[in-house]
Amino acid sequence: HQWHLAALRSCGLMRKAGALMRSHKLVGALAPAVFYAHSQQLGYAYLGALSGVFFALFFSGLLHRLTWRLHKPWLQTLWVTSHVGSAVVLLILLGYHVYVSYAYR
């Protein structure tokens, strides 16, 4: 969702980005249920890091309304940086997770 949102915004398609934002928030809200269905424990080593980054991304998404309600530009910049940054790190760790899971089959 995040990369699609960025592409729509860079093309100037704000209405489509707004419509996608609603589904982005819904998917984010349901993410812990998907995590629990996939794995009931946080794991060790890189799986612990993957779980930590996943929940950091989730909780930073929950802070979205609070940061925008405070109207502090530095706080909004910090929020966007942490949310997007943790999404990038999550994608890297997810790629490694998929590689490891298929390498040991």
Side-chain angles (χ1 to χ4, degrees):
H1 275 99
Q2 179 178 331
W3 307 115
H4 193 194
L5 281 170
L8 289 174
R9 286 181 180 151
S10 67
C11 294
L13 301 170
M14 297 308 209
R15 282 186 185 241
K16 287 186 179 183
L20 184 63
M21 181 61 80
R22 285 188 283 281
S23 66
H24 175 78
K25 290 177 182 179
L26 178 63
V27 168
L30 296 174
V34 173
F35 180 89
Y36 184 74
H38 180 69
S39 173
Q40 287 83 31
Q41 50 189 319
L42 295 179
Y44 302 101
Y46 89 90
L47 288 176
L50 177 67
S51 299
V53 170
F54 177 82
F55 284 108
L57 179 62
F58 172 72
F59 288 120
S60 71
L62 290 179
L63 292 174
H64 176 257
R65 288 201 188 271
L66 177 65
T67 57
W68 292 100
R69 193 174 300 144
L70 293 176
H71 300 292
K72 304 246 189 262
W74 66 270
L75 187 61
Q76 293 169 359
T77 303
L78 179 67
W79 178 82
V80 169
T81 303
S82 68
H83 192 65
V84 173
S86 58
V88 169
V89 172
L90 182 70
L91 282 176
I92 292 168
L93 289 173
L94 278 173
Y96 183 69
H97 179 59
V98 169
Y99 170 75
V100 168
S101 69
Y102 284 114
Y104 285 104
R105 286 196 171 203

